[in-house]
Amino acid sequence: MSSFVPATVRVTGTPNSNFLVGYPGISATLPRIEGKVEIRPYPTPGWAAPMRISFIKIALQRRETIHPAADNIKKHLAAPRKDITDIVGTEMLLYRCAAGKEHDTVLCMDLPFVIFIPYGREGVEVARRVPPASLSLPSRTAETFYELVVTVQQGKSDQKKFLFPVPITRYETLSSFGMYDKPESAEQTSDHLVTLGISIPRWSFGPLDPISVYVKVSPNPDWMNKAKRVTVKNITISIEEEIIYNHEGDEPTKKTRSLGKTQQQVGMKLPEAGYFTNLGLVFPAKDLRDNDGIQPRGDRKFPVYNVSGFTTTGSLYKIQYFLVVKAQLGSAKDIILRKPIIVCPFDHATCKEEMRAIEEAAKEAAKISRENPMAPAQWVANPKDAEGLKTLGFCQGGTRYGEGRGECRNSGMGRGEVI
């Protein structure tokens, strides 16, 4: 046991749960990452050698990249991909060797940790900003993903970093919240002759959610003689996705695309009482299955969404959505009204189901102190600790006559059991 071996690292969550506890974006649930860093010797044939451990740290790392020209083959010589990497919250020291020593000699370690995800409002303090949700747009024009980074220093050797993906979803845009589940209205005027007004029952939508729009085209009573000559040709409603790349930089790039639209032909003179109608469309959803009806395994860094994008703001990009209503008129200028809406990655039914779970998570979080979350105690086994050998799957049998009556039956790779 005179030789030392490199360490292997594994991060596990709490039993029967995920790394992520709570609901990011909802401060009452104290969103956090709970888990345990398991340090074991590198598996080698024969006896398990101890490890030199100087210190072990863990941090939540966010990586964000943009490449606006990635979806256009003709622009393959455009500017390269831009990316940033930063630490969410603060780095956490899990273990340090005794003072005055270069390293400690250990056999195996279990180091619990709790990392709180910032939930403060956006402001001057960047460290308090709520991190954006994990997202990957088509052609990787924009990406955000998170990783747990475990840094291990073993004596005089170089530091080694071990990365573990952690998908993060935000929940403050659920359409079942009262702030979104209420009617919204807007108006737009053209030539002071005609006013276009709309009303929607709520303004947060998810995949396959119906969008109902009440449209009113009314004349200006002060210009009624001229307004009577106006003809309402057709009315169109559509959903536009607007992505601003490098929105905080010097040269922002804006791209807009239509996700879906519907049109109603009218072809009539504008009545004195105005023209009223109801139009609707279904918010488009992404088909997750291939041609054979099989859903392929997704990337571990990103949650599985039924939408390609949703309302979010990162450091390098910003995604927002608009409900666009256009009234094409005769004898007057066309009217275009753009109403901002919120797009949630979940449909309305799923949002309602999440409400009860959020309430339960808030009750559990009320019992937790952010300053002292009461994580389980660390477990460190020394080379002479029999329990440490047992954890690794090894045992000690009698070596001299009269010392222990057991024999060790080898089960391969130096592992065995006493019989």
Side-chain angles (χ1 to χ4, degrees), residues 1 41 55 117 164 207 224 230 265 286 306 327 350 357 411 417:
M1 298 179 62
F55 68 82
I117 299 176
F164 303 90
M224 188 59 69
V230 176
Q265 298 293 334
K286 181 174 62 174
N306 285 82
T350 305
S411 61
E417 57 180 346

Side-chain angles (χ1 to χ4, degrees), residues 133-359:
S134 303
L135 174 66
S136 179
L137 294 181
S139 302
R140 296 184 62 204
T141 55
E143 275 189 349
T144 297
F145 61 91
Y146 296 83
E147 296 170 320
L148 283 173
V149 183
V150 180
T151 305
V152 180
Q153 176 71 48
Q154 293 189 263
K156 295 182 180 179
S157 62
D158 296 334
Q159 294 183 10
K160 292 185 178 180
K161 295 183 181 294
F162 302 85
L163 306 179
F164 303 90
V166 178
I168 291 182
T169 303
R170 286 177 56 166
Y171 293 86
E172 76 276 18
T173 59
L174 298 184
S175 58
S176 52
F177 284 140
M179 59 185 298
Y180 301 119
D181 197 9
K182 64 179 183 179
E184 285 285 321
S185 59
E187 287 186 351
Q188 185 71 28
T189 304
S190 172
D191 290 341
H192 303 288
L193 294 177
V194 180
T195 300
L196 172 64
I198 66 168
S199 177
I200 51 180
R202 69 173 192 271
W203 56 294
S204 177
F205 306 95
L208 299 181
D209 279 350
I211 302 177
S212 177
V213 185
Y214 174 76
V215 182
K216 176 182 178 181
V217 182
S218 54
N220 187 345
D222 297 332
W223 299 81
M224 188 59 69
N225 291 331
K226 293 184 177 181
K228 288 181 179 180
R229 305 172 188 171
V230 176
T231 302
V232 182
K233 297 181 178 179
N234 58 64
I235 297 176
T236 306
I237 64 172
S238 61
I239 301 171
E240 288 187 356
E241 178 186 66
E242 183 179 275
I243 306 176
I244 305 176
Y245 299 94
N246 198 26
H247 65 100
E248 295 180 349
D250 298 331
E251 298 180 358
T253 302
K254 182 187 294 185
K255 288 191 175 184
T256 303
R257 70 186 183 108
S258 178
L259 301 183
K261 70 176 182 179
T262 183
Q263 187 179 79
Q264 183 184 77
Q265 298 293 334
V266 181
M268 61 176 292
K269 291 288 187 179
L270 183 62
E272 293 186 10
Y275 177 78
F276 310 89
T277 186
N278 279 295
L279 293 176
L281 75 163
V282 177
F283 192 90
K286 181 174 62 174
D287 189 5
L288 301 176
R289 301 182 181 275
D290 57 15
N291 296 331
D292 297 327
I294 300 174
Q295 181 173 329
R297 178 174 298 184
D299 195 326
R300 292 178 57 196
K301 296 181 292 187
F302 306 103
V304 179
Y305 297 127
N306 285 82
V307 288
S308 58
F310 46 84
T311 303
T312 183
T313 301
S315 300
L316 297 178
Y317 64 93
K318 180 179 182 180
I319 306 177
Q320 50 193 0
Y321 294 84
F322 297 89
L323 176 65
V324 181
V325 181
K326 179 180 179 181
Q328 188 174 2
L329 307 174
S331 303
K333 289 183 178 181
D334 297 343
I335 307 177
I336 300 178
L337 190 153
R338 300 180 84 229
K339 172 67 178 175
I341 60 174
I342 300 295
V343 172
C344 175
F346 312 109
D347 58 17
H348 193 59
T350 305
C351 292
K352 287 183 177 180
E353 293 175 358
E354 290 287 353
M355 294 301 292
R356 179 174 296 180
I358 292 175
E359 294 176 359

Side-chain angles (χ1 to χ4, degrees), residues 53-57 92-98 103-106 109 111 378 380 382:
I53 300 295
S54 298
F55 68 82
I56 299 174
K57 299 187 295 184
M92 185 177 180
L93 180 64
L94 295 179
Y95 182 85
R96 183 183 292 277
C97 63
H103 59 82
D104 286 342
T105 303
V106 300
M109 312 171 73
L111 308 174
Q378 297 182 351
V380 180
N382 297 318

Side-chain angles (χ1 to χ4, degrees), residues 405-409 417-419:
R405 298 187 172 220
E407 298 178 359
C408 187
R409 181 172 63 191
E417 57 180 346
V418 176
I419 58 174

